[in-house]
């Protein structure tokens, strides 16, 4: 049975969301006031007026009577009279069988160093990390995170998301994560929910939901719509000479740069801009320390590319390794939909770009013998550039972007 949630709370949230059986990390986004918190509060049973119908995935449906739902708010509610260790210890007292250890939760939520601190001495981001760790040692079946990582710096936040995603893949945990940071959600979510104006407006695979968000005008409130591209690690690049090194070599540098292959085209990506996906696959049997292993040759990774980072070049012959541009990443694309922003974002144009998949061999190939990839890339450019370059639908262009 798939996870399916149907909620109705008058004037605040209404709709149904059904997810794939393998989806365990579900992102929820939408404009401020749209109803995201209301959705989570209904699921958690905090809204007495709400009508909620839920069917739980088969692996947890059998224990519906004692189903454990954890929730962590943006403002963490920690017990002030005991320290961090005391907070986790109290949560552990009522833990279910699938709870993780205090040590694992502290390490995974990057807060081992805080264990002896008092609650009133924690910063906002530290308190958020402790609150998530405390929820995990209680062993919830469903963990609802309502902007619960909003005060944490982006590098630590991604480490925690990575840990949660891995936990979802290796245990029976399902996470529903509300965030305004669409890039975080795109990188880690198995499926995405878009809530608009009190309605569950779109549910499903991340790229499909992003496209649905355009239709609802949801992108207008978002500075940087992003595309997600699946790629495979090719080489580790030695930073000084720009030479190739083995991906799993012991090169000791802070932020490694890899060459990866995406749709038959080569991209250069810094380590922090890519997310390994193999270690988190739901069928994975990899050990728990897989996250800390170096990336290996041929390993699948996910990259998210912000529309505001993409520039457009009409010189389509300039994608070779001999480019004179400092921007090495160049994907050959065709212009698809063209959207002029109105109101407060006047003067900007959003382009949907179909990436040319040079690795594909099939009957739908274009005249260059390559296929247009279904999942798009986005570019936001000024209306001035749009008119200066005389861009139009179906025009071949090169999309350039940095992934540092
Ligand atoms: N307790 C409440 N009683 C009545 N209306 C409420 C209550 N809480 C929220 N609302 C209203 O319900 C709507 C949805 O609010 P909600 O907090 O769910 O939005 P949200 O998408 O989480 O917003 P944000 O991103 O700003 O946190 C808003 O119009 C809000 O004013």
């Amino acid at each position: 049975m798939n996870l399916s949630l149907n909620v109705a709370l008058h004037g605040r949230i209404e709709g149904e969301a059904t997810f794939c059986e393998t989806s365990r990390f579900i992102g929820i986004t939408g404009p401020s006031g749209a109803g995201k918190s209301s959705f989570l509060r209904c699921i958690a049973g905090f809204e007495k007026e709400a009508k909620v119908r839920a069917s739980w995935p088969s692996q947890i449906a059998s224990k519906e009577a004692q189903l454990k739902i954890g929730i962590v708010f943006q403002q963490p509610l920690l017990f002030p009279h005991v320290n961090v260790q005391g907070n986790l210890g109290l949560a552990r007292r009522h833990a279910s069988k699938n709870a993780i250890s205090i040590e694992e939760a502290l390490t995974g939520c990057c807060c081992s160093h805080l264990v002896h601190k008092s609650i009133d001495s924690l910063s906002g981001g530290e308190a958020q990390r402790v609150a998530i760790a405390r929820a995990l040692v209680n062993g919830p079946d469903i963990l609802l995170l309502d902007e619960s990582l909003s005060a944490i710096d982006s590098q630590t936040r991604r480490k925690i998301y990575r840990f949660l995603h891995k936990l979802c893949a290796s245990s029976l945990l399902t996470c529903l994560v509300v965030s305004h940071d669409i890039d975080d959600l795109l990188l880690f979510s198995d499926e995405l929910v878009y809530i608009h104006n009190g309605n569950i407006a779109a549910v499903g695979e991340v790229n499909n939901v992003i496209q649905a968000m355009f239709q609802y005008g949801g992108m207008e409130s978002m500075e940087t719509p992003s595309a997600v591209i699946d790629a495979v690690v090719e080489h580790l690049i030695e930073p000084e000479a720009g030479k190739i090194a083995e991906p799993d070599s012991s090169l000791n540098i802070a932020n490694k740069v890899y060459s990866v292959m995406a749709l038959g085209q080569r991209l250069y990506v810094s380590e922090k801009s890519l997310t390994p996906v193999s270690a988190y696959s739901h069928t994975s049997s990899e050990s728990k320390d897989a996250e800390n292993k170096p990336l290996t040759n041929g390993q699948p990774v996910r990259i998210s590319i912000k529309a505001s980072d993409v520039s457009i070049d009409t010189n389509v012959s300039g994608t070779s390794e001999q480019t004179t541009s400092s921007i090495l990443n160049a994907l050959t694309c065709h212009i698809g939909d063209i959207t002029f922003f109105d109101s407060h974002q006047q003067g900007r144009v959003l382009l949907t770009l179909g990436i040319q998949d040079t690795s594909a061999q099939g009957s739908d190939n274009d005249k260059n013998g390559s296929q247009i990839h279904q999942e798009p890339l986005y570019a936001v450019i000024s209306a001035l550039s749009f008119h200066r370059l005389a861009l139009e639908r179906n025009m071949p262009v090169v999309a350039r972007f940095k992934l540092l």
Side-chain angles (χ1 to χ4, degrees):
M1 203 193 307
N2 296 355
L3 172 60
S4 177
L5 300 162
N6 188 318
V7 296
L9 177 60
H10 183 68
R12 288 172 60 184
I13 182 71
E14 192 158 358
E16 179 165 11
T18 299
F19 304 100
C20 294
E21 209 173 340
T22 50
S23 294
R24 298 276 189 72
F25 190 106
I26 293 159
I28 300 166
T29 195
S32 182
K36 303 179 295 297
S37 297
S38 301
F39 181 54
L40 291 195
R41 290 178 60 82
C42 289
I43 299 166
F46 291 162
E47 298 293 344
K48 296 293 166 235
E49 307 290 303
K51 290 199 178 94
V52 181
R53 272 190 288 122
S55 72
W56 303 105
S58 40
Q59 67 273 15
I60 59 171
S62 56
K63 48 190 220 174
E64 192 164 347
Q66 70 273 28
L67 191 76
K68 223 176 222 270
I69 299 183
I71 186 162
V72 183
F73 299 101
Q74 187 171 15
Q75 303 293 342
L77 301 170
L78 295 165
F79 303 123
H81 60 287
V82 283
N83 66 7
V84 169
Q85 191 165 35
N87 265 272
L88 272 74
L90 286 172
R92 183 93 188 135
R93 274 197 209 167
H94 307 285
S96 66
K97 265 195 204 147
N98 56 333
I100 59 170
S101 69
I102 289 179
E103 195 191 359
E104 193 185 348
L106 285 169
T107 310
C109 295
C110 307
C111 52
S112 300
H113 61 296
L114 304 173
V115 70
H116 299 302
K117 278 203 153 194
S118 65
I119 298 306
D120 62 5
S121 69
L122 298 176
S123 71
E126 288 173 341
Q128 286 189 334
R129 292 187 239 175
V130 171
I132 297 167
R134 192 182 63 173
L136 290 172
V137 298
N138 195 238
D141 299 296
I142 310 280
L143 180 59
L144 310 173
L145 299 177
D146 192 354
E147 297 184 50
S148 331
L149 291 90
S150 59
I152 304 172
D153 67 274
S154 67
Q155 215 167 337
T156 309
R157 205 171 62 227
R158 290 209 173 162
K159 271 191 194 167
I160 298 171
Y161 276 136
R162 200 164 288 186
F163 168 69
L164 288 170
H165 193 184
K166 193 155 68 96
L167 207 57
C168 287
S170 61
S171 71
L172 294 179
L173 177 67
T174 298
C175 282
L176 271 67
V177 183
V178 166
S179 174
H180 285 285
D181 193 316
I182 191 75
D183 276 356
D184 284 346
L185 295 185
L186 289 177
L187 281 174
F188 295 100
S189 300
D190 298 321
E191 285 187 272
L192 198 58
V193 178
Y194 177 59
I195 299 185
H196 181 80
N197 225 355
N199 286 299
I200 297 174
V203 181
E205 197 267 320
V206 289
N207 279 310
N208 294 341
V209 173
I210 288 287
Q211 287 182 57
M213 286 165 74
F214 288 124
Q215 285 152 19
Y216 285 94
M219 283 303 182
E220 285 204 32
S221 60
M222 207 172 282
E223 280 297 311
T224 55
S226 300
V228 174
I229 292 186
D230 288 316
V232 169
V233 172
E234 192 187 39
H235 296 295
L236 172 64
I237 309 295
E238 288 207 44
E240 282 175 20
K243 283 191 300 200
I244 287 167
E246 281 309 306
D248 50 1
S249 74
S250 55
L251 205 58
N252 190 17
I253 43 176
N255 191 20
K256 296 171 185 164
V257 173
Y258 292 88
S259 66
V260 303
M261 291 304 283
L263 310 167
Q265 306 193 52
R266 177 169 293 130
L267 300 174
Y268 296 92
V269 193
S270 73
E271 191 170 34
K272 72 175 166 56
S273 297
L274 51 78
T275 301
V277 289
S278 62
Y280 315 117
S281 103
H282 295 290
T283 55
S284 169
S285 58
E286 290 188 47
S287 69
K288 291 199 167 177
D289 64 358
E291 184 185 351
N292 302 321
K293 285 185 187 163
L295 293 170
T296 53
N297 210 333
Q299 184 167 345
V301 286
R302 228 179 212 197
I303 304 161
S304 89
I305 305 165
K306 284 185 203 289
S308 56
D309 289 345
V310 177
S311 72
I312 298 296
D313 189 345
T314 51
N315 177 7
V316 290
S317 61
T319 57
S320 75
E321 304 274 317
Q322 281 79 41
T323 178
T324 51
S325 168
S326 68
I327 302 183
L328 294 177
N329 294 324
L331 288 177
T332 311
C333 301
H334 278 76
I335 296 179
D337 289 342
I338 299 168
T339 311
F340 285 84
F341 286 100
D342 51 17
S343 61
H344 64 290
Q345 293 205 53
Q346 223 163 13
R348 304 202 316 157
V349 183
L350 175 74
L351 304 176
T352 303
L353 304 161
I355 304 166
Q356 199 166 296
D357 183 352
T358 57
S359 66
Q361 303 289 326
S363 54
D364 295 338
N365 289 358
D366 72 1
K367 59 179 181 293
N368 300 317
S370 55
Q371 215 173 38
I372 303 300
H373 189 56
Q374 294 307 311
E375 282 150 18
L377 187 66
Y378 303 107
V380 173
I381 60 170
S382 68
L384 180 67
S385 290
F386 178 80
H387 292 299
R388 203 176 63 80
L389 296 173
L391 300 180
E392 56 187 39
R393 205 180 160 87
N394 294 327
M395 195 169 162
V397 290
V398 171
R400 295 188 186 280
F401 49 89
K402 293 191 239 184
L403 287 166
L404 287 179

